[in-house]
């Protein structure tokens, strides 16, 4: 079970890092006071409370690298746990 959780977290970090490499910025909208129909109106902003997020230049590489290390570490978990339990 732990192996699957760490693999999933690592893959999520790899995907997030790759997405940050592909975007320049992301606009985050507040859900308060916004109706679903407001998102379909191309002339207006869904809500006045929006913020723009720009990832730092180092963030995608650090997150993707941490994801790869986590996935590789998770693949070695069962082997290390089996040898530790067999010895003790």
């Amino acid at each position: 079970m732990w192996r699957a959780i760490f693999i999933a977290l690592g893959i999520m970090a790899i995907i997030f890092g790759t997405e940050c490499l592909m975007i320049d910025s992301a606009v985050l909208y507040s859900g308060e006071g916004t109706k679903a129909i407001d998102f379909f109106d191309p002339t207006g902003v869904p809500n006045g409370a929006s913020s723009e997020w720009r990832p730092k230049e180092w963030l995608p590489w650090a997150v993707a690298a941490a994801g790869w290390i986590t996935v590789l570490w998770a693949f070695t978990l069962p082997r290390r746990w089996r040898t530790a339990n067999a010895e003790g």
Side-chain angles (χ1 to χ4, degrees):
M1 181 174 102
W2 287 107
R3 179 180 182 199
I5 290 171
F6 284 119
I7 290 173
L9 290 174
I11 290 173
M12 286 174 34
I14 293 167
I15 291 171
F16 181 71
T18 305
E19 286 178 356
C20 286
L21 276 172
M22 295 182 192
I23 64 168
D24 291 328
S25 65
V27 178
L28 307 171
Y29 294 105
S30 174
E32 297 175 7
T34 304
K35 299 178 198 126
I37 194 70
D38 293 337
F39 285 98
F40 292 110
D41 183 15
T43 60
V45 177
N47 192 356
S50 64
S51 62
E52 186 176 7
W53 178 72
R54 293 181 185 268
K56 305 263 189 213
E57 195 170 322
W58 54 266
L59 182 73
W61 299 106
V63 173
W68 278 112
I69 290 170
T70 304
V71 168
L72 291 173
W73 177 76
F75 276 123
T76 64
L77 272 178
R79 276 185 250 144
R80 283 191 278 149
W81 281 352
R82 264 190 248 130
T83 57
N85 291 338
E87 293 171 2

Coordinates of all heavy atoms in Angstrom, one line a residue:
M1 N 0.8 -1.2 0.0 CA 0.0 0.0 0.0 C 0.9 1.3 0.0 O 0.6 2.2 -0.7 CB -0.9 0.0 1.2 CG -1.8 1.2 1.3 SD -3.0 1.1 2.6 CE -2.2 2.2 3.8
W2 N 1.9 1.3 0.8 CA 2.8 2.5 0.9 C 3.5 2.7 -0.5 O 3.7 3.9 -0.9 CB 3.8 2.3 2.0 CG 3.2 2.5 3.3 CD1 3.0 1.5 4.2 CD2 2.8 3.7 3.9 NE1 2.4 2.0 5.3 CE2 2.3 3.4 5.2 CE3 2.7 5.0 3.5 CZ2 1.7 4.3 6.0 CZ3 2.2 5.9 4.3 CH2 1.7 5.6 5.6
R3 N 3.8 1.6 -1.1 CA 4.5 1.7 -2.4 C 3.6 2.5 -3.4 O 4.0 3.4 -4.1 CB 4.9 0.4 -2.9 CG 5.5 0.4 -4.3 CD 5.9 -1.0 -4.7 NE 6.6 -1.0 -6.0 CZ 6.7 -2.0 -6.8 NH1 6.2 -3.1 -6.5 NH2 7.3 -1.8 -7.9
A4 N 2.3 2.1 -3.5 CA 1.4 2.7 -4.4 C 1.2 4.2 -4.1 O 1.0 5.0 -5.0 CB 0.1 2.0 -4.4
I5 N 1.1 4.5 -2.8 CA 0.9 5.9 -2.4 C 2.1 6.8 -2.8 O 1.9 7.9 -3.4 CB 0.7 6.0 -0.9 CG1 -0.7 5.4 -0.5 CG2 0.8 7.5 -0.4 CD1 -0.9 5.3 0.9
F6 N 3.3 6.3 -2.6 CA 4.5 7.0 -3.0 C 4.6 7.1 -4.5 O 5.1 8.2 -5.0 CB 5.8 6.4 -2.4 CG 5.9 6.7 -0.9 CD1 5.9 5.7 0.0 CD2 6.0 8.0 -0.5 CE1 6.1 6.0 1.4 CE2 6.1 8.3 0.9 CZ 6.1 7.3 1.8
I7 N 4.3 6.1 -5.2 CA 4.3 6.2 -6.7 C 3.3 7.2 -7.2 O 3.6 8.0 -8.1 CB 4.1 4.8 -7.3 CG1 5.3 3.9 -7.0 CG2 3.8 4.9 -8.8 CD1 5.1 2.4 -7.5
A8 N 2.1 7.2 -6.6 CA 1.1 8.2 -7.0 C 1.5 9.6 -6.8 O 1.4 10.5 -7.6 CB -0.2 7.9 -6.4
L9 N 2.1 9.8 -5.6 CA 2.6 11.2 -5.2 C 3.7 11.6 -6.2 O 3.8 12.8 -6.6 CB 3.0 11.2 -3.8 CG 1.9 11.1 -2.7 CD1 2.6 11.0 -1.3 CD2 1.0 12.3 -2.8
G10 N 4.6 10.7 -6.5 CA 5.7 11.0 -7.4 C 5.2 11.3 -8.8 O 5.7 12.3 -9.4
I11 N 4.3 10.5 -9.3 CA 3.7 10.8 -10.6 C 3.0 12.1 -10.6 O 3.1 12.9 -11.6 CB 2.8 9.6 -11.1 CG1 3.7 8.4 -11.3 CG2 2.0 10.0 -12.3 CD1 2.9 7.2 -11.6
M12 N 2.3 12.5 -9.6 CA 1.6 13.8 -9.5 C 2.6 14.9 -9.5 O 2.4 15.9 -10.2 CB 0.7 13.8 -8.3 CG -0.5 13.0 -8.4 SD -1.6 12.9 -6.9 CE -1.4 14.5 -6.1
A13 N 3.7 14.7 -8.8 CA 4.8 15.8 -8.9 C 5.4 15.9 -10.2 O 5.7 17.0 -10.7 CB 5.8 15.4 -7.8
I14 N 5.6 14.8 -10.9 CA 6.2 14.9 -12.3 C 5.2 15.6 -13.2 O 5.6 16.4 -14.0 CB 6.4 13.4 -12.8 CG1 7.6 12.8 -12.0 CG2 6.8 13.4 -14.3 CD1 7.7 11.3 -12.2
I15 N 3.9 15.3 -13.1 CA 2.9 15.9 -14.0 C 2.8 17.4 -13.7 O 2.8 18.3 -14.6 CB 1.5 15.3 -13.8 CG1 1.6 13.9 -14.4 CG2 0.4 16.1 -14.5 CD1 0.4 13.0 -14.1
F16 N 2.8 17.8 -12.4 CA 2.8 19.2 -12.0 C 4.0 20.0 -12.5 O 3.9 21.1 -13.0 CB 2.6 19.3 -10.5 CG 2.5 20.8 -10.0 CD1 1.4 21.5 -10.3 CD2 3.6 21.3 -9.3 CE1 1.3 22.8 -9.9 CE2 3.5 22.6 -8.9 CZ 2.4 23.4 -9.2
G17 N 5.2 19.3 -12.3 CA 6.4 20.0 -12.8 C 6.4 20.2 -14.3 O 6.8 21.2 -14.8
T18 N 5.9 19.2 -15.1 CA 5.8 19.3 -16.5 C 4.8 20.4 -16.9 O 5.1 21.1 -17.9 CB 5.4 17.9 -17.1 OG1 6.3 16.9 -16.7 CG2 5.4 18.0 -18.6
E19 N 3.7 20.5 -16.2 CA 2.7 21.5 -16.5 C 3.3 22.9 -16.3 O 3.1 23.8 -17.0 CB 1.5 21.3 -15.7 CG 0.6 20.2 -16.1 CD -0.6 20.0 -15.2 OE1 -0.8 20.7 -14.2 OE2 -1.4 19.1 -15.6
C20 N 4.1 23.0 -15.2 CA 4.7 24.3 -14.9 C 5.7 24.7 -16.0 O 6.0 25.9 -16.2 CB 5.3 24.3 -13.5 SG 4.1 24.4 -12.2
L21 N 6.3 23.7 -16.6 CA 7.2 24.0 -17.7 C 6.5 24.6 -18.9 O 7.1 25.4 -19.7 CB 8.0 22.8 -18.2 CG 9.2 22.4 -17.4 CD1 9.7 21.0 -17.8 CD2 10.3 23.4 -17.5
M22 N 5.3 24.2 -19.1 CA 4.5 24.6 -20.3 C 3.7 25.9 -20.2 O 3.3 26.4 -21.2 CB 3.6 23.5 -20.7 CG 4.2 22.2 -21.1 SD 3.0 21.0 -21.5 CE 4.1 19.5 -21.6
I23 N 3.6 26.4 -19.0 CA 2.8 27.6 -18.8 C 3.7 28.8 -18.4 O 4.7 28.6 -17.8 CB 1.6 27.4 -17.8 CG1 2.2 27.2 -16.4 CG2 0.7 26.3 -18.2 CD1 1.2 27.3 -15.3
D24 N 3.2 30.0 -18.7 CA 3.9 31.2 -18.3 C 3.2 31.7 -17.0 O 3.9 32.2 -16.1 CB 3.8 32.3 -19.3 CG 4.6 32.0 -20.5 OD1 5.7 31.3 -20.4 OD2 4.3 32.4 -21.6
S25 N 1.9 31.6 -16.9 CA 1.2 32.0 -15.7 C -0.2 31.3 -15.7 O -0.6 30.8 -16.7 CB 1.0 33.6 -15.7 OG 0.1 33.9 -16.8
A26 N -0.8 31.4 -14.5 CA -2.1 30.8 -14.3 C -2.9 31.8 -13.5 O -2.5 32.4 -12.6 CB -2.0 29.5 -13.5
V27 N -4.2 32.0 -14.0 CA -5.1 32.9 -13.3 C -6.0 32.1 -12.4 O -6.7 31.1 -12.9 CB -5.9 33.7 -14.3 CG1 -6.9 34.6 -13.6 CG2 -5.0 34.5 -15.2
L28 N -6.0 32.4 -11.1 CA -6.8 31.6 -10.2 C -8.0 32.5 -9.8 O -7.9 33.7 -9.4 CB -6.0 31.3 -8.9 CG -4.7 30.6 -9.2 CD1 -3.9 30.5 -7.9 CD2 -4.9 29.2 -9.8
Y29 N -9.2 32.0 -9.9 CA -10.4 32.7 -9.6 C -11.0 32.2 -8.3 O -10.9 31.1 -7.9 CB -11.5 32.4 -10.7 CG -11.1 33.0 -12.1 CD1 -10.7 32.1 -13.1 CD2 -11.2 34.3 -12.3 CE1 -10.4 32.6 -14.3 CE2 -10.9 34.8 -13.6 CZ -10.4 34.0 -14.6 OH -10.1 34.5 -15.8
S30 N -11.6 33.2 -7.6 CA -12.3 32.9 -6.3 C -13.6 32.3 -6.6 O -14.3 32.8 -7.5 CB -12.4 34.1 -5.5 OG -13.1 33.9 -4.3
G31 N -14.1 31.3 -5.9 CA -15.3 30.7 -6.2 C -16.5 31.4 -5.5 O -17.7 31.1 -5.8
E32 N -16.2 32.4 -4.7 CA -17.3 33.1 -4.0 C -18.0 34.0 -4.9 O -17.4 34.8 -5.6 CB -16.7 33.8 -2.8 CG -16.1 33.0 -1.8 CD -15.4 33.7 -0.7 OE1 -15.5 35.0 -0.7 OE2 -14.7 33.1 0.2
G33 N -19.3 34.0 -5.0 CA -20.1 34.9 -5.8 C -20.0 34.6 -7.3 O -20.4 35.5 -8.0
T34 N -19.6 33.5 -7.7 CA -19.5 33.2 -9.1 C -20.5 32.1 -9.5 O -20.6 31.1 -8.8 CB -18.0 32.7 -9.5 OG1 -17.1 33.7 -9.0 CG2 -17.9 32.5 -10.9
K35 N -21.2 32.3 -10.6 CA -22.1 31.3 -11.1 C -21.4 30.6 -12.3 O -20.5 31.1 -12.9 CB -23.4 32.0 -11.6 CG -24.1 32.7 -10.5 CD -25.3 33.4 -11.1 CE -25.8 34.4 -10.1 NZ -25.9 35.7 -10.7
A36 N -21.9 29.4 -12.5 CA -21.3 28.6 -13.6 C -21.4 29.3 -15.0 O -20.6 29.2 -15.8 CB -21.9 27.2 -13.6
I37 N -22.5 30.0 -15.2 CA -22.8 30.6 -16.5 C -21.8 31.8 -16.7 O -21.5 32.1 -17.9 CB -24.2 31.1 -16.5 CG1 -24.6 31.5 -18.0 CG2 -24.5 32.3 -15.6 CD1 -24.8 30.3 -18.9
D38 N -21.2 32.3 -15.6 CA -20.2 33.4 -15.8 C -19.0 33.0 -16.5 O -18.3 33.8 -17.2 CB -19.8 34.0 -14.4 CG -21.0 34.7 -13.8 OD1 -21.9 35.1 -14.5 OD2 -21.0 34.8 -12.5
F39 N -18.6 31.7 -16.4 CA -17.4 31.2 -17.1 C -17.6 31.1 -18.6 O -16.7 31.0 -19.4 CB -17.0 29.8 -16.5 CG -16.4 29.9 -15.2 CD1 -17.1 29.7 -14.0 CD2 -15.0 30.3 -15.1 CE1 -16.5 29.8 -12.8 CE2 -14.4 30.4 -13.9 CZ -15.2 30.2 -12.7
F40 N -18.9 31.0 -19.1 CA -19.1 30.9 -20.5 C -19.2 32.2 -21.2 O -19.3 32.2 -22.5 CB -20.4 30.1 -20.7 CG -20.3 28.6 -20.3 CD1 -20.9 28.2 -19.2 CD2 -19.5 27.8 -21.0 CE1 -20.8 26.9 -18.8 CE2 -19.3 26.5 -20.6 CZ -20.0 26.0 -19.5
D41 N -19.2 33.3 -20.5 CA -19.3 34.6 -21.1 C -17.9 35.1 -21.5 O -17.1 35.4 -20.6 CB -19.9 35.6 -20.1 CG -20.1 37.0 -20.7 OD1 -20.0 37.1 -22.0 OD2 -20.3 38.0 -19.9
P42 N -17.6 35.1 -22.8 CA -16.2 35.5 -23.2 C -15.8 36.9 -23.0 O -14.6 37.3 -23.0 CB -16.2 35.1 -24.7 CG -17.6 35.2 -25.1 CD -18.4 34.9 -23.9
T43 N -16.8 37.8 -22.7 CA -16.5 39.2 -22.6 C -16.1 39.6 -21.1 O -15.5 40.7 -20.9 CB -17.6 40.1 -23.0 OG1 -18.8 39.8 -22.3 CG2 -17.9 39.8 -24.5
G44 N -16.6 38.8 -20.2 CA -16.4 39.2 -18.8 C -15.5 38.3 -18.0 O -15.2 37.2 -18.4
V45 N -15.0 38.8 -16.9 CA -14.3 37.9 -15.9 C -15.3 37.3 -15.0 O -16.2 38.0 -14.5 CB -13.3 38.8 -15.2 CG1 -12.5 38.0 -14.1 CG2 -12.3 39.5 -16.1
P46 N -15.1 36.0 -14.7 CA -16.1 35.3 -13.8 C -16.2 36.0 -12.4 O -17.3 36.0 -11.9 CB -15.5 33.9 -13.6 CG -14.7 33.7 -14.9 CD -14.2 35.1 -15.2
N47 N -15.2 36.5 -11.9 CA -15.3 37.2 -10.6 C -14.1 38.2 -10.5 O -13.1 38.0 -11.1 CB -15.1 36.1 -9.5 CG -15.5 36.7 -8.1 OD1 -15.8 37.9 -8.0 ND2 -15.5 35.9 -7.1
G48 N -14.4 39.3 -9.8 CA -13.4 40.3 -9.7 C -12.2 39.9 -8.8 O -11.1 40.4 -9.0
A49 N -12.4 38.9 -8.0 CA -11.3 38.4 -7.1 C -10.5 37.3 -7.8 O -10.8 36.1 -7.6 CB -11.9 37.9 -5.8
S50 N -9.6 37.7 -8.6 CA -8.7 36.7 -9.3 C -7.3 37.1 -9.0 O -7.0 38.3 -8.8 CB -9.0 36.7 -10.8 OG -8.7 37.9 -11.3
S51 N -6.4 36.1 -9.0 CA -5.0 36.4 -8.8 C -4.2 35.6 -9.9 O -4.6 34.5 -10.3 CB -4.6 36.0 -7.4 OG -4.8 34.6 -7.2
E52 N -3.1 36.2 -10.2 CA -2.2 35.6 -11.2 C -1.0 34.9 -10.6 O -0.4 35.6 -9.7 CB -1.8 36.6 -12.3 CG -1.0 36.0 -13.4 CD -0.7 37.1 -14.4 OE1 -0.9 38.2 -14.2 OE2 -0.1 36.7 -15.5
W53 N -0.7 33.7 -10.9 CA 0.4 33.0 -10.3 C 1.4 32.7 -11.4 O 1.1 32.1 -12.5 CB -0.1 31.7 -9.7 CG 1.0 30.9 -9.1 CD1 1.8 31.1 -8.0 CD2 1.5 29.6 -9.6 NE1 2.7 30.1 -7.8 CE2 2.6 29.2 -8.8 CE3 1.2 28.8 -10.7 CZ2 3.3 28.0 -9.0 CZ3 1.9 27.7 -10.9 CH2 2.9 27.3 -10.1
R54 N 2.6 33.0 -11.2 CA 3.7 32.8 -12.2 C 4.7 31.9 -11.4 O 5.3 32.3 -10.4 CB 4.4 34.0 -12.6 CG 3.5 34.9 -13.4 CD 4.3 36.2 -13.9 NE 3.4 37.1 -14.6 CZ 3.3 37.1 -15.9 NH1 3.9 36.2 -16.6 NH2 2.5 37.9 -16.5
P55 N 5.0 30.7 -12.0 CA 5.9 29.8 -11.3 C 7.4 30.3 -11.5 O 7.7 30.9 -12.5 CB 5.8 28.4 -12.0 CG 5.1 28.8 -13.3 CD 4.3 30.0 -13.1
K56 N 8.2 30.2 -10.5 CA 9.6 30.6 -10.6 C 10.3 29.7 -11.6 O 9.8 28.6 -11.9 CB 10.2 30.4 -9.2 CG 9.5 31.1 -8.1 CD 10.2 32.4 -7.9 CE 9.6 33.0 -6.6 NZ 9.5 34.4 -6.6
E57 N 11.4 30.1 -12.0 CA 12.1 29.4 -13.1 C 12.6 28.0 -12.6 O 12.7 27.0 -13.4 CB 13.3 30.2 -13.6 CG 13.8 29.7 -14.9 CD 14.8 30.7 -15.5 OE1 14.6 31.9 -15.4 OE2 15.8 30.2 -16.1
W58 N 13.0 27.9 -11.3 CA 13.5 26.7 -10.8 C 12.4 25.7 -10.3 O 12.7 24.5 -10.2 CB 14.4 26.9 -9.6 CG 13.7 27.8 -8.5 CD1 13.8 29.1 -8.4 CD2 12.9 27.3 -7.5 NE1 13.0 29.5 -7.3 CE2 12.5 28.4 -6.7 CE3 12.5 26.0 -7.1 CZ2 11.7 28.3 -5.6 CZ3 11.7 25.9 -6.0 CH2 11.3 27.1 -5.3
L59 N 11.2 26.1 -10.2 CA 10.1 25.3 -9.6 C 9.8 24.0 -10.4 O 9.8 22.9 -9.9 CB 8.9 26.1 -9.4 CG 7.7 25.3 -8.7 CD1 8.0 25.1 -7.3 CD2 6.4 26.1 -8.9
P60 N 9.6 24.1 -11.7 CA 9.3 22.9 -12.5 C 10.3 21.9 -12.4 O 10.0 20.7 -12.3 CB 9.1 23.4 -13.9 CG 9.0 24.9 -13.9 CD 9.6 25.3 -12.6
W61 N 11.6 22.3 -12.5 CA 12.7 21.3 -12.5 C 12.8 20.6 -11.1 O 13.0 19.4 -11.0 CB 14.0 22.0 -12.8 CG 13.9 22.6 -14.2 CD1 13.8 23.9 -14.5 CD2 13.9 21.8 -15.4 NE1 13.8 24.0 -15.9 CE2 13.8 22.8 -16.5 CE3 14.0 20.5 -15.8 CZ2 13.8 22.4 -17.8 CZ3 14.0 20.1 -17.1 CH2 13.9 21.1 -18.1
A62 N 12.6 21.4 -10.0 CA 12.8 20.9 -8.7 C 11.6 19.9 -8.4 O 11.8 18.8 -7.8 CB 12.8 22.0 -7.7
V63 N 10.4 20.3 -8.8 CA 9.2 19.4 -8.5 C 9.3 18.1 -9.3 O 9.1 17.0 -8.8 CB 7.9 20.2 -8.8 CG1 6.7 19.3 -8.6 CG2 7.8 21.3 -7.8
A64 N 9.7 18.2 -10.6 CA 9.8 17.1 -11.4 C 10.9 16.1 -11.0 O 10.7 14.9 -10.9 CB 10.0 17.4 -12.9
A65 N 12.0 16.7 -10.6 CA 13.1 15.9 -10.0 C 12.7 15.2 -8.7 O 13.0 14.0 -8.6 CB 14.4 16.8 -9.8
A66 N 12.0 15.9 -7.9 CA 11.6 15.3 -6.6 C 10.6 14.1 -6.9 O 10.6 13.1 -6.3 CB 10.9 16.3 -5.7
G67 N 9.8 14.3 -7.9 CA 8.8 13.3 -8.3 C 9.5 12.1 -8.9 O 9.2 10.9 -8.5
W68 N 10.5 12.3 -9.7 CA 11.3 11.1 -10.2 C 12.0 10.4 -9.1 O 12.1 9.1 -9.1 CB 12.3 11.6 -11.3 CG 11.7 11.8 -12.6 CD1 11.5 12.9 -13.3 CD2 11.1 10.7 -13.5 NE1 10.8 12.7 -14.5 CE2 10.6 11.4 -14.6 CE3 11.0 9.4 -13.3 CZ2 10.0 10.7 -15.6 CZ3 10.4 8.7 -14.4 CH2 9.9 9.3 -15.5
I69 N 12.6 11.1 -8.2 CA 13.3 10.5 -7.1 C 12.3 9.7 -6.2 O 12.6 8.6 -5.8 CB 14.1 11.5 -6.3 CG1 15.2 12.1 -7.1 CG2 14.6 11.0 -4.9 CD1 15.9 13.3 -6.5
T70 N 11.2 10.2 -6.0 CA 10.2 9.5 -5.2 C 9.7 8.2 -5.9 O 9.5 7.2 -5.2 CB 8.9 10.4 -4.9 OG1 9.4 11.6 -4.3 CG2 7.9 9.8 -4.0
V71 N 9.5 8.3 -7.2 CA 9.0 7.1 -7.9 C 10.1 6.0 -7.9 O 9.8 4.9 -7.6 CB 8.6 7.5 -9.4 CG1 8.4 6.2 -10.2 CG2 7.3 8.3 -9.4
L72 N 11.4 6.4 -8.2 CA 12.4 5.5 -8.2 C 12.6 4.9 -6.8 O 12.9 3.7 -6.6 CB 13.7 6.1 -8.6 CG 13.8 6.5 -10.1 CD1 15.0 7.3 -10.4 CD2 13.6 5.3 -11.0
W73 N 12.5 5.7 -5.7 CA 12.6 5.2 -4.4 C 11.5 4.2 -4.0 O 11.7 3.2 -3.4 CB 12.6 6.4 -3.4 CG 12.7 6.0 -2.0 CD1 13.8 5.6 -1.3 CD2 11.6 6.0 -1.0 NE1 13.4 5.3 0.0 CE2 12.1 5.6 0.2 CE3 10.2 6.3 -1.1 CZ2 11.3 5.5 1.3 CZ3 9.4 6.2 0.0 CH2 10.0 5.8 1.2
A74 N 10.3 4.5 -4.5 CA 9.1 3.7 -4.2 C 9.3 2.3 -4.9 O 8.8 1.3 -4.4 CB 7.9 4.3 -4.7
F75 N 9.9 2.3 -6.0 CA 10.1 1.0 -6.7 C 11.1 0.1 -5.9 O 11.0 -1.2 -6.1 CB 10.6 1.1 -8.1 CG 9.5 1.4 -9.1 CD1 9.5 2.5 -9.9 CD2 8.4 0.5 -9.2 CE1 8.5 2.8 -10.8 CE2 7.4 0.7 -10.1 CZ 7.4 1.9 -10.9
T76 N 12.0 0.6 -5.1 CA 12.9 -0.2 -4.3 C 12.4 -0.5 -2.9 O 13.0 -1.3 -2.2 CB 14.2 0.5 -4.2 OG1 14.1 1.7 -3.4 CG2 14.8 0.8 -5.5
L77 N 11.2 0.0 -2.5 CA 10.7 -0.2 -1.2 C 10.5 -1.7 -0.9 O 10.9 -2.1 0.2 CB 9.4 0.5 -1.0 CG 9.4 2.0 -0.5 CD1 8.0 2.6 -0.4 CD2 10.1 2.0 0.9
P78 N 9.8 -2.4 -1.7 CA 9.5 -3.8 -1.3 C 10.8 -4.7 -1.1 O 10.9 -5.5 -0.2 CB 8.7 -4.4 -2.4 CG 8.1 -3.2 -3.1 CD 9.1 -2.1 -2.9
R79 N 11.8 -4.4 -1.9 CA 13.0 -5.2 -1.8 C 13.7 -4.9 -0.5 O 14.2 -5.8 0.2 CB 13.9 -4.9 -3.0 CG 13.6 -5.7 -4.2 CD 14.6 -5.5 -5.3 NE 13.8 -4.8 -6.3 CZ 14.3 -3.8 -7.1 NH1 15.5 -3.5 -7.0 NH2 13.5 -3.3 -8.0
R80 N 13.8 -3.6 -0.1 CA 14.4 -3.3 1.1 C 13.7 -3.8 2.3 O 14.3 -4.2 3.3 CB 14.6 -1.7 1.2 CG 15.7 -1.3 0.3 CD 16.1 0.2 0.6 NE 15.1 1.0 -0.2 CZ 14.7 2.1 0.2 NH1 15.1 2.7 1.3 NH2 13.9 2.8 -0.5
W81 N 12.3 -3.7 2.3 CA 11.6 -4.2 3.4 C 11.6 -5.7 3.5 O 11.6 -6.2 4.6 CB 10.1 -3.7 3.3 CG 10.0 -2.3 3.7 CD1 10.9 -1.5 4.2 CD2 8.8 -1.5 3.5 NE1 10.4 -0.2 4.4 CE2 9.1 -0.2 4.0 CE3 7.5 -1.7 3.0 CZ2 8.2 0.8 4.0 CZ3 6.6 -0.7 3.0 CH2 6.9 0.5 3.5
R82 N 11.7 -6.4 2.4 CA 11.7 -7.9 2.5 C 13.1 -8.3 3.1 O 13.1 -9.2 3.9 CB 11.6 -8.5 1.1 CG 10.1 -8.9 0.9 CD 10.0 -9.7 -0.4 NE 9.3 -8.8 -1.4 CZ 9.7 -8.5 -2.6 NH1 10.7 -9.0 -3.1 NH2 8.9 -7.8 -3.3
T83 N 14.2 -7.7 2.7 CA 15.5 -8.1 3.2 C 15.6 -7.7 4.7 O 16.2 -8.4 5.5 CB 16.6 -7.4 2.4 OG1 16.5 -6.0 2.5 CG2 16.6 -7.9 1.0
A84 N 15.0 -6.6 5.1 CA 15.1 -6.2 6.5 C 14.3 -7.1 7.4 O 14.6 -7.5 8.5 CB 14.6 -4.7 6.7
N85 N 13.1 -7.6 6.9 CA 12.3 -8.5 7.7 C 12.8 -9.9 7.7 O 12.7 -10.6 8.7 CB 10.8 -8.5 7.1 CG 10.1 -7.2 7.3 OD1 10.4 -6.5 8.2 ND2 9.1 -6.9 6.5
A86 N 13.6 -10.3 6.7 CA 14.1 -11.6 6.7 C 15.3 -11.7 7.6 O 15.5 -12.7 8.3 CB 14.6 -12.0 5.3
E87 N 16.1 -10.6 7.8 CA 17.2 -10.6 8.7 C 16.8 -10.6 10.2 O 17.4 -11.1 11.0 CB 18.1 -9.4 8.4 CG 18.8 -9.5 7.0 CD 19.5 -8.3 6.7 OE1 19.5 -7.3 7.5 OE2 20.1 -8.2 5.6
G88 N 15.7 -9.8 10.4 CA 15.3 -9.5 11.8 C 14.3 -10.5 12.3 O 14.2 -11.4 12.9

